[in-house]
Amino acid sequence: ILREDDPVPQTITQTVTDYIHAMAYADESLMRDLFDPRASIVGTFEGEIEWLSLEDFVDHMRKSERGLPDHDPAFEIMGIDKEGDSASVKLTTRFDGMDFYEYLSLLERDGNWSIVHKLYHVKA
């Protein structure tokens, strides 16, 4: 929840937008730029709980053989909660015909925001 005197830094919104593009285009390099190397990616996919390291997640993305989308990916930022150098972003996304709720935890270092954790839920 943001106070009126604490507007969302454009860099948070840009980090989320870059994340969406990295996911949509399976851009490994951008993914590594956006995520902290120690980040974890957690959620239930096809009935199984996934608890992936960044490298496992990037490897999974590489193996998905995702084709280039014919349009920019659909997403909506539902909310941003920021306090100091920490932020949490709730968003909805659509990838590979599936709708997701995603929760990204971000940490600011040297003026840049990096994703330290991703938690997701596939909408039924």
Side-chain angles (χ1 to χ4, degrees):
I1 315 310
L2 293 167
R3 298 179 306 274
E4 288 183 25
D5 62 339
D6 187 16
V8 176
Q10 182 63 34
T11 51
I12 291 177
T13 306
Q14 188 61 54
T15 299
V16 172
T17 302
D18 290 347
Y19 158 76
I20 295 298
H21 284 90
M23 289 287 296
Y25 296 97
D27 186 331
E28 296 175 40
S29 177
L30 182 54
M31 198 81 70
R32 285 190 176 92
D33 287 346
L34 294 169
F35 279 84
D36 183 277
R38 298 160 292 187
S40 56
I41 293 83
V42 180
T44 302
F45 188 73
E46 296 180 348
E48 298 292 323
I49 294 177
E50 289 186 328
W51 199 300
L52 304 173
S53 68
L54 176 59
E55 286 308 309
D56 289 341
F57 183 62
V58 168
D59 188 52
H60 178 73
M61 295 294 296
R62 183 185 314 112
K63 290 178 180 174
S64 71
E65 297 182 10
R66 178 173 292 161
L68 293 180
D70 56 2
H71 55 80
D72 282 338
F75 74 98
E76 180 181 356
I77 295 175
M78 306 296 289
I80 297 174
D81 187 355
K82 176 191 170 294
E83 193 64 51
D85 63 357
S86 301
S88 178
V89 179
K90 178 181 179 182
L91 63 152
T92 59
T93 57
R94 183 167 182 81
F95 295 112
D96 297 334
M98 293 179 284
D99 294 313
F100 294 84
Y101 284 109
E102 299 193 44
Y103 303 87
L104 303 177
S105 297
L106 293 90
L107 180 66
E108 183 183 28
R109 289 183 300 220
D110 302 321
N112 294 311
W113 290 89
S114 63
I115 301 168
V116 295
H117 186 76
K118 168 184 166 170
L119 179 65
Y120 70 87
H121 171 75
V122 181
K123 288 194 219 178

